[in-house]
Structures are given as structure tokens and as C-alpha cells.
Amino acid sequence: MTLAAVLGWTATGLFTVCFIPQIVKTLRTRTVEGLSFWLLFLQFIANIVALWYASLIEQPPLQVKYVLAILFLAVCIAV
């Protein structure tokens, strides 16, 4: 595995993990008080566009990151 691939997958893991504390808090409290709906919504749309881009340039680490981010944001928006 090249250094670029290791860095890509490491960044993917870190970007994905950063959503977990907010998701756990949201699920425990059943409230998104303090979170901006528009911030979450715009992040959701941005990740969809970025997933499209990552698919066009065939970058698996980015594709995984954006799919996971979309799922995590969907949980935050839905709760």
C-alpha cells in the first residue's frame, strides 16, 4: 500500500469517527437542540456532491468517507 493510500484511508477513518460523539449524544438525548438544521442539511448535500466527485475520479477512500458521512448526517437530521 502506498503512502498516499495509507493517508487517504487514515483521513477517511478520522473524518468518519468525528461524527460518532454527536450521533451518540443525539441518540441518547433524542434532541438536536443546539445543532443547526441548515448546517447538517448543507453538509449532507455537500457530501452527496463530493461522493459523486469521488466516484468520477475513482477514489475508494473518499467514496467510503462520503457514504459514511451521509449515513451519519442522515441519523442526525432524522432524529
Side-chain angles (χ1 to χ4, degrees):
M1 189 177 281
T2 67
L3 177 59
V6 169
L7 292 174
W9 283 108
T10 301
T12 295
L14 293 172
F15 275 120
T16 301
V17 168
C18 76
F19 286 103
I20 293 174
Q22 184 61 56
I23 291 169
V24 169
K25 180 182 176 188
T26 300
L27 290 173
R28 281 188 184 153
T29 62
R30 295 282 185 209
T31 181
V32 291
E33 187 175 328
L35 285 178
S36 167
F37 169 80
W38 290 108
L39 170 71
L40 296 175
F41 182 74
L42 291 173
Q43 282 184 337
F44 184 78
I45 298 302
N47 277 287
I48 290 171
V49 172
L51 175 59
W52 186 7
Y53 166 73
S55 298
L56 289 174
I57 64 170
E58 299 176 3
Q59 291 294 313
L62 291 177
Q63 291 169 327
V64 170
K65 181 257 188 239
Y66 294 127
V67 166
L68 292 174
I70 289 166
L71 293 173
F72 290 153
L73 286 165
V75 168
C76 288
I77 291 170
V79 172

